[in-house]
């Protein structure tokens, strides 16, 4: 059994490195939590190969999926091997690494060695020859059961259906997605070392391979507003009462004015891009004082507000 589990982890790790990656919008987590597939008593599986947007995939949720008292799920990953009747399917849920020891027995929680990454898998589910299996005991790790993991993956596939992409070129993102490329590995490539001679050895400091990420736009997944059926006034309800007028939402773009910032010193992090990773790994970023010149903040071309107006952010909770 241990050898089988190691093989599964090795194949899943290879799938992580070669998978299609999506960045989900904030509203998608709520839609997945309330999706019919996730909230019904059973899940019917057709041909996984026909409905999957990619054979190997990973999706990250900035706002995690929350189900009951389980750990929040910041990511879903799936991996397919072989084809047809021999198809082997596996899926993983990704959660906050710091939450892993919260449900373990105290003696085990104190001795466990957690990874340094901010997120890590907390469940592994497989579907082979019609059998759905969950490896490990998911309860101490705050992980959903095998059926729920499969339902979550299928629910995401339902939202990101293959036909939503360009049928002529499957590599092109759909009109509801933007594409960005990021470096897979920070720092110099393996086998090279940083040169102390500046530009003499450029190849030693070249960046690693890039990975394409599909950024799903927020607009298609925001709840639609009720259609306005008014002709001369608000539409009447069935009981004859008048529908209330919609409350206009404030817009910081329209209502924000510029404000003056005088000369001062501020504490700044010397490593702003790596600050979160350094803190979560147990390191420390000592702030340094830097001078800030006198300037004006806010949209250009606006009047200066002596009350220092800040931008208005609509409440989307």
């Amino acid at each position: 059994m241990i050898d089988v589990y190691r093989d599964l982890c090795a194949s899943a790790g290879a799938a992580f490195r070669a998978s299609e990656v999506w960045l989900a919008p904030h509203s998608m987590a709520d839609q997945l939590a309330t999706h019919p597939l996730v909230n019904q008593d059973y899940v019917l599986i057709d041909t996984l190969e026909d409905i999957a947007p990619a054979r190997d995939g990973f999706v990250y949720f900035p706002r995690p999926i929350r189900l009951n008292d389980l750990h929040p799920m910041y990511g879903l990953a799936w991996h397919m091997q072989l084809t047809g009747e021999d198809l082997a399917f596996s899926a993983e849920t990704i959660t906050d690494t710091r939450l892993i020891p919260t449900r373990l027995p105290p003696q085990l929680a104190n001795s466990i060695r957690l990874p340094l990454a901010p997120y890590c898998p907390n469940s592994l589910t497989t579907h082979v020859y019609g059998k759905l299996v969950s490896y490990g005991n998911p309860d101490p790790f705050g992980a959903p059961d095998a059926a729920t993991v499969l339902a979550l993956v299928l629910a995401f596939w339902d939202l990101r259906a293959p036909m939503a992409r360009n049928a002529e070129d499957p590599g092109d993102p759909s009109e509801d997605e933007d594409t960005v490329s990021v470096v897979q590995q920070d720092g110099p490539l393996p086998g090279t070392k940083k040169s102390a001679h500046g530009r003499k050895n450029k190849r030693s400091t070249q960046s690693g391979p890039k990975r394409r990420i599909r950024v799903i736009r927020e607009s298609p997944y925001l709840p639609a507003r009720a259609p306005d059926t008014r002709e001369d006034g608000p539409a009447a309800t069935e009981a004859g009462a008048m529908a209330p007028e919609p409350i206009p939402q404030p817009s910081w773009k329209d209502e924000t004015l510029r404000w003056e910032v005088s000369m001062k010193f501020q504490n700044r992090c010397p490593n702003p891009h790596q600050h979160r990773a350094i803190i979560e790994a147990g390191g420390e970023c000592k702030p340094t004082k830097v001078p800030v010149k006198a300037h004006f903040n806010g949209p250009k071309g606006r009047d200066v507000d002596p009350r220092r107006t800040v931008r208005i952010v609509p409440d989307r909770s």
Side-chain angles (χ1 to χ4, degrees), residues 9-313:
C9 292
S11 62
F16 270 120
R17 293 186 291 270
S19 62
E20 292 280 353
V21 181
W22 283 269
L23 175 61
H26 287 72
S27 57
M28 185 175 283
D30 296 334
Q31 294 196 14
L32 288 176
T34 58
H35 197 278
L37 288 174
V38 181
N39 294 278
Q40 63 187 12
D41 297 333
Y42 58 90
V43 179
L44 296 178
I45 302 177
D46 295 328
T47 304
L48 292 175
E49 293 177 283
D50 295 340
I51 61 176
R55 288 186 63 89
D56 297 324
F58 173 80
V59 54
Y60 171 72
F61 301 98
R63 179 183 295 173
I65 306 171
R66 299 184 182 274
L67 296 176
N68 301 327
D69 59 343
L70 303 176
H71 287 335
M73 285 163 278
Y74 287 86
L76 293 173
W78 66 89
H79 173 51
M80 292 183 181
Q81 284 183 320
L82 305 179
T83 184
E85 296 181 355
D86 298 327
L87 178 68
F89 170 81
S90 62
E92 298 183 39
T93 58
I94 314 298
T95 190
D96 192 331
T97 305
R98 296 170 297 178
L99 297 176
I100 295 296
T102 58
R103 297 195 177 199
L104 298 176
Q107 185 176 0
L108 180 59
N110 294 332
S111 61
I112 191 173
R113 186 174 180 180
L114 295 174
L116 297 179
Y119 306 105
C120 69
N122 67 331
S123 75
L124 174 60
T125 301
T126 63
H127 185 268
V128 183
Y129 298 123
K131 294 183 179 180
L132 190 64
V133 181
S134 177
Y135 285 85
N137 187 356
D139 294 335
F141 297 98
D145 58 273
T148 303
V149 174
L150 180 59
L152 285 171
V153 174
L154 294 177
F156 174 73
W157 290 3
D158 181 59
L159 295 176
R160 303 305 307 156
M163 63 279 300
R165 295 167 60 183
N166 190 343
E168 297 180 357
D169 186 358
D172 287 348
S174 69
E175 59 182 7
D176 297 333
E177 295 178 354
D178 298 315
T179 304
V180 297
S181 295
V182 298
V183 179
Q184 282 189 288
Q185 181 176 354
D186 294 333
L189 294 175
T192 61
K193 58 182 180 180
K194 189 174 181 181
S195 173
H197 301 288
R199 299 176 59 87
K200 286 188 177 181
N201 190 1
K202 294 181 183 179
R203 297 184 64 182
S204 64
T205 58
Q206 61 183 342
S207 59
K210 292 187 176 182
R211 160 175 270 181
R212 183 175 60 181
I213 297 179
R214 304 179 187 277
V215 181
I216 304 174
R217 297 176 184 172
E218 182 82 30
S219 54
Y221 297 95
L222 289 175
R225 293 184 178 181
D228 190 0
T229 57
R230 295 178 299 173
E231 295 181 358
D232 298 327
T237 61
E238 294 182 359
M242 303 298 289
E245 290 286 345
I247 300 175
Q249 296 294 331
S251 173
W252 72 270
K253 293 183 179 179
D254 299 334
E255 301 188 14
T256 301
L257 301 179
R258 294 174 68 83
W259 65 92
E260 185 177 1
V261 178
S262 58
M263 175 71 179
K264 60 181 179 179
F265 285 85
Q266 288 185 348
N267 288 326
R268 299 288 179 88
C269 175
N271 306 294
H273 298 292
Q274 292 84 21
H275 177 78
R276 180 177 179 180
I278 293 173
I279 297 302
E280 292 180 349
E284 183 182 2
C285 283
K286 294 184 178 180
T288 57
K289 280 194 172 183
V290 296
V292 178
K293 296 181 179 180
H295 62 281
F296 289 91
N297 281 347
K300 294 183 178 180
R302 302 287 178 87
D303 296 333
V304 177
D305 189 348
R307 299 171 301 174
R308 194 180 181 277
T309 303
V310 297
R311 69 180 189 177
I312 302 171
V313 179

